[in-house]
Amino acid sequence: MNFVGSHILSVDQFDRSAMEQVFSVADEMTPYALRRRITRVLEGAILSNMFLEPSTRTRISFGCAFNMLGGEVRETTELKASALAKGESLHDTARVLSGYSDVIAMRHPDAGSVAEFAQASRVPVLNAGDGPNEHPSQALLDLYTIRKELKSRDRGVDGLRIAMVGDLKYGRAVHSLCKLLSLHDRIHYKLVAPPGLGLPGDMVERLREKDHQVSEYEQLEMGIDHVDIVYVTRTQEERFPSQEEADRYRGLFRLNQAIYTQHCEPNTVIMHPLPRDSRAQAQELDDDLIENPNLAIFRQTDNGVLVRMALFALVLDVADEVHNHAQPVTWYTAKRFT
Ligand code: NCD
């Protein structure tokens, strides 16, 4: 895969060597993300962050990643605050924004919209989530986290056993991660979802065609035994035709420490793309897991910056130049607490 100048729209663009490339550049970014070194390699470059759906970590980590490479960020955070609300086409918005920026990160409520937008863009577009379809940078950071977690247990990804729990129908993070994992050998996917929220049939088919094992469950307890990773997701309420229908699914699968201790193998890693729903009746990941050392949710968010820095560096063709534009830490970063 040639990253330079490319849009990153789907994990289907990746093969194993492209993933390795992203992860090895991400490793290189660690001292910059930890603020132990500064680089100005993207000085003068501008990222347009166009997030037309709610977001905290994806938007801010794309922005911080760009800042940490020395670039500047312009934000649009609401559909109704953009000219799309006046009827402007994705084509025209893309043509305009790409005249102002060097790269665009875009989140949009409709499947396929970011690809449509990218067709008219003159600069690379990174898909930050298009409706229920895909979320490639999330899947990359999840896989990067899985690799690190397994490495500390002397394991690689081939032969992984993973439980995917929750809304597998609308969860774009799950869709992208399932596809990315399928590039490895002998994955056992244990899919735990209530009736009506299972992984789309064509995706299940595709995983089986690649000789992976797929098992489906409707009970949490049955799906989370004998796995290396439990990947829990939020019910994507905003995608349901009505709130009433969404409410039917709220809080169906709640993982807490007692269930974990009783049903999971020791050291099973717990992941979630976040946000987890903390409202009463939801809480798909109970607060009592916070002391569990296998809860990797904040290691995932930390890794997100590294992976997004790597994507920018590769797409904008500065991956080999990052260290050449390194500077000593400033007075402030030297005194920083963490
Ligand atoms: C996910 C998303 O937006 O798809 N969040 C994220 O980007 N980390 C998952 C979710 O919203 O449930």
Side-chain angles (χ1 to χ4, degrees), residues 57-58 107 135 138 172 234 236 273-275:
R57 73 224 79 235
T58 306
R107 171 172 286 189
H135 196 344
Q138 179 70 43
R172 58 192 171 201
R234 177 181 69 88
Q236 308 282 293
L274 299 183

Side-chain angles (χ1 to χ4, degrees), residues 108-130:
H108 191 285
D110 298 335
S113 53
V114 181
E116 185 186 335
F117 179 92
Q119 276 182 358
S121 172
R122 297 183 301 175
V123 299
V125 174
L126 309 187
N127 181 2
D130 62 323

